[in-house]
Amino acid sequence: MPMGPYALAAARHMHEFGTTSEHLAQIAVSTRQWATLNPRARYRTPLTIDDVLASPMQASPLHLLDCCLVTDGAGAFVMTSAARARTLRQPPVYVLGAATCTDHMMITQMPDLTVTPGVRSGANAFAAAGIGPADVDVLMGYDSFTITALLHLEDLGFCAKGEGGPFAADGKLGPGGVLPMNTNGGGLSFTHPGMYGMFLITEAVQQLRGQSGDRQVADASIAVAHGSGMVLSCMSTAVLGTEATL
């Protein structure tokens, strides 16, 4: 634990859809590209797919560089009413929609190893916000492992089920890509103190405020922070925006 359950999900995805280790490695590579732009990231040396595949196997098919860091770290955010937020010094970021779903505890209870509860939390959060995946400018998806991030792409509707590998393979998730994902370097390269979900929120807020420096996504107005708990057991999705209503 926890590598084994995630390796099981990755192996099943490979069996069902032809996903490859190279597909997973590209997620680590794109995430590291973002980390090179973040002065606070733990690892900033550029990666290649070959680097990921050459790193030690941890639990087949997951290599060391498919796995998140173990670091110190902390974060915080303040919530208040929209009315009060408008009077404060920092530009407000609004919660447009949020939802949580749990469907199992242990990996042996997971109804389908290739489908997470994010299918439901994502759909409900998007419905509450009145938007769809095509409206999202920045995706902050909990990347405990590369397979975790790949499943988010599919279950939130950014690509069809089984297409997460090819979707990630051409650099869509990195700087200059059509779906900037984990722009702080993620749990794979930035930090992972155990409760990484905090950093999904703080980076999403910084992006929407235009405060992300060299890694800033131009004109970002909608960000999604999508967290994962236990062993793909519980998913929470928050849609954040620069305007209180769309």
Side-chain angles (χ1 to χ4, degrees):
M1 281 286 285
M3 295 175 188
Y6 289 87
L8 189 64
R12 187 65 193 179
H13 203 280
M14 289 176 167
H15 173 76
E16 288 201 25
F17 304 114
T19 306
T20 67
S21 291
E22 287 80 4
H23 288 149
L24 295 177
Q26 179 61 60
I27 293 174
V29 169
S30 294
T31 307
R32 182 63 64 87
Q33 288 175 327
W34 285 115
T36 65
L37 303 176
N38 182 1
R40 293 188 175 185
R42 174 65 180 85
Y43 290 121
R44 302 183 65 196
T45 302
L47 278 181
T48 67
I49 289 176
D50 287 343
D51 290 334
V52 179
L53 300 183
S55 65
M57 187 69 74
Q58 301 300 296
S60 181
L62 298 178
H63 297 82
L64 179 64
L65 293 176
D66 285 303
C67 307
C68 68
L69 308 178
V70 178
T71 66
D72 291 334
F77 64 83
V78 175
M79 290 190 69
T80 187
S81 68
R84 173 169 286 189
R86 294 188 186 100
T87 69
L88 301 180
R89 288 179 294 174
Q90 296 285 357
V93 169
Y94 301 97
V95 180
L96 306 181
T100 295
C101 182
T102 301
D103 68 8
H104 65 281
M105 181 63 72
M106 303 305 295
I107 197 70
T108 52
Q109 301 166 324
M110 191 171 180
D112 183 334
L113 286 170
T114 69
V115 180
T116 76
V119 168
R120 288 178 289 281
S121 68
N124 290 342
F126 285 146
I131 68 158
D135 300 307
V136 176
D137 300 308
V138 178
L139 172 61
M140 293 300 298
Y142 199 125
D143 55 342
S144 48
F145 300 89
T146 51
I147 183 60
T148 318
L150 184 147
L151 292 174
H152 298 334
L153 294 172
E154 298 175 349
D155 293 345
L156 292 176
F158 293 101
C159 61
K161 177 54 62 180
E163 295 181 2
F167 182 87
D170 63 0
K172 285 187 178 71
L173 310 179
V178 298
L179 181 61
M181 180 175 180
N182 296 337
T183 52
N184 58 359
L188 293 171
S189 288
F190 167 44
T191 193
H192 195 290
M195 299 299 180
Y196 178 72
M198 170 62 66
F199 299 95
L200 304 173
I201 298 291
T202 56
E203 176 69 8
V205 168
Q206 286 179 318
Q207 284 286 348
L208 295 179
R209 286 178 171 170
Q211 297 172 342
S212 293
D214 291 340
R215 64 187 188 278
Q216 180 64 47
V217 175
D219 303 319
S221 61
I222 296 177
V224 166
H226 183 66
S228 174
M230 291 296 292
V231 285
L232 301 171
S233 308
C234 179
M235 300 289 165
S236 294
T237 312
V239 181
L240 309 178
T242 56
E243 300 292 335
T245 57
L246 298 176

